[in-house]
Amino acid sequence: MVDAENEFAREQLRLRGLLQDHIASFARRDGNVDNSTRVVSASDGVVPRYIRIRRMASEGNNVGANKNHEEEEHTVREAVLAAGGRRVPWCPPYASESFYALPPEFRIAQWPLYQQGKVYGMDVASGVAVWALGPRPGDNVLDLCCCPGLKLCMVAEQMHHTGTITGVDISRGRLTVCRQVLVKYQIGRAAGVLVSPCSSPSASRSPSPGAPLWCRLICADGCCFETEWDAAWAGREEDVVFDSRAYDWQGMEARGQKRMNRGTRRRESLALRRVLNPAENGAGREGRRERANEEGGGYDRVLVDADCSHDGSTRHMLKVAGLDDSIRMRSGGFLSEEKLGGLEELQRGLLRNAFRRLRPGGVLVYSTCSLSPRQNEDVVAHLLKEEADAILDPILELGLPLFSCEMEEKGEGGKRSDDNAQANESLHACGRGYLPCRWGSLPGTLLFEPRFGETSGLFIARIKKKQLNSNV
Ligand SMILES: C[S@@+](CC[C@H](N)C(=O)[O-])C[C@H]1O[C@@H](n2cnc3c(N)ncnc32)[C@H](O)[C@@H]1O
């Protein structure tokens, strides 16, 4: 164990050293000196490995089955604690038993609980983005940059596995991974019931309360994706990568299959086609879209966890760069202007389209794991300027004061200090019931930084769309 820890620490040092120059020059180019300090120190310090315990779908009135789920969750919690996991003290009460912090060197990929789909590897700051979105049972949710699907799975659990989720991503390769994640965690399969819409596709189109979750994954550009949650598919059929209504869960399980063979793939694609019901394309679709607009249709919640420079998260950066790809990093491809060019435009395009897909009164969350104001506040400010119906909705309901507010109130200059002593103080404050983040420069947005609160970096903004005929 000690050897493993030493090896881990040495590797971290080596990689961190490698990253420093790239991050520093990225931050300088980003044009914000304050940010340059923040970004560079984001790669310092070691963030714990967070896990989230899977919450299984309730099985309705089946008391015995529900009790089994509770007991299983309890057993998993005990195993997590035994593995060195500790509770995250500032999690809201309803989530205090779902996120745990493990030592940074903990390898979850080899952990049976992870392999068996009982826990997710997910940073707790990402959990805050989902709490801010606040999905409710029966909602229709759009996740516009969904891969590999960790937030999507948490959204499904917050919805008690009822309603609809449409996951969109531009990368077919990443969607394949996302699809595996959904299968592993049984998202889209509620209450152990195999939904069989192939025989009656329209039956599950409008989810009634308690109806099982319908989840679909679509390969499309989030900047122009426009299919309503209840509409027939407006794009190419082959772009639907997964549709839980057609998915043969029981068959997969019975075969103990991980990868599908050609025959199974063909059968699934035929089932998907039937689910998509191409006969409903065309005029019907337009009619539905008009009706949706008149009735103030659209998604109840939209999540845009946008592609970004990943500079707030060393772990993400290393993943993006490729752990051993030091040559590429040294040669400047990683975080280079060339690689990041067009990113802000993409983020603005994603946010604009996300807002258009939102129903009046609906809630949208925009997040990135960058600390760059250009990719965060500026993108949000751009939308607020463009869209008269967009209102920035301060994220306050987590119920804890932000560390920086408390320091400011005490006159200790907590709002904008980059001082390490204060960062340490902040870590202690987390244990005393403060949220380990700051306000972003737009009021009510949140900025998590690794050095301030033992989490990966994450910016979160919440936007509401005004109700029809309303000023609010
Ligand atoms: C930060 S990751 C999303 C992580 C995901 N929300 C989760 O929690 O697992 C950003 C994703 O955006 C996708 N992406 C990039 N450009 C896109 C576009 N134009 N439309 C849709 N997705 C896009 C990337 O393929 C990547 O999977």
Side-chain angles (χ1 to χ4, degrees), residues 23 26 38-39 42-43 47 308-317 368-372 448-451 455-458:
I23 300 172
F26 157 74
R38 286 203 244 158
V39 172
S43 65
V47 172
C308 68
S309 52
H310 305 285
D311 53 90
S313 159
T314 315
R315 191 172 279 129
H316 273 129
M317 291 171 89
T368 77
C369 61
S370 169
L371 305 180
S372 157
F448 285 85
E449 294 182 52
R451 72 206 168 107
T455 68
S456 282
L458 198 75

Side-chain angles (χ1 to χ4, degrees), residues 144-151 169-170 174 221-222 305 307 346:
L144 214 44
C145 294
C146 69
C147 291
L150 293 172
K151 293 189 189 69
D169 203 285
I170 203 160
R174 286 173 67 82
D221 182 349
D305 189 28
D307 218 6
L346 168 72

